[in-house]
Amino acid sequence: MRGRAGAAGVYVGLVALASVAYGAAGAPDGWGAPLTLAAFPGAVLVAFLGYYLLPALLGTGEADTADGSTGALDFLPQYAGGAVVNVLLVWAAVAFVRHFAREARRSRERAGR
């Protein structure tokens, strides 16, 4: 189990490091697509929930980005949070498949008696 948990931690760490580098570099045009692809679909879910749904539910306005500058940590919540969501999605899918296989095996054993 350490190998899978370690791989998940390395994945989240690399995406977080890339997102900090992306913000620190000033959000260059060529970096957005690969970073989004690396954290897809979790980054899209986090962006939707954090940037669109949550402010609408709380009644707050949009974030003030009038100066147009980006900071090193501006993209960290979206991409690192998206990577965490991806890890949880994969974990849930694997748990479901294991449970389904176990129940199917038990069902075949009961039917074979």
Side-chain angles (χ1 to χ4, degrees):
M1 192 65 173
R2 278 186 213 178
R4 285 183 233 145
V10 167
Y11 165 66
V12 171
L14 287 175
V15 170
L17 183 65
S19 69
V20 169
Y22 179 56
D29 290 335
W31 291 21
L35 192 54
T36 301
L37 186 62
F40 184 81
V44 175
L45 292 171
V46 169
F48 176 74
L49 292 174
Y51 297 138
Y52 299 115
L53 189 60
L54 190 61
L57 290 175
L58 296 177
T60 59
E62 295 181 9
D64 183 23
T65 58
D67 62 353
S69 64
T70 58
L73 300 178
D74 286 350
F75 299 98
L76 184 65
Q78 178 184 357
Y79 293 117
V84 170
V85 168
N86 287 343
V87 167
L88 293 175
L89 287 171
V90 169
W91 172 80
V94 168
F96 173 76
V97 168
R98 285 181 177 171
H99 176 73
F100 185 81
R102 185 172 39 248
E103 290 300 318
R105 188 176 345 124
R106 288 179 186 165
S107 179
R108 282 192 302 270
E109 289 172 357
R110 283 185 291 224
R113 288 184 192 175

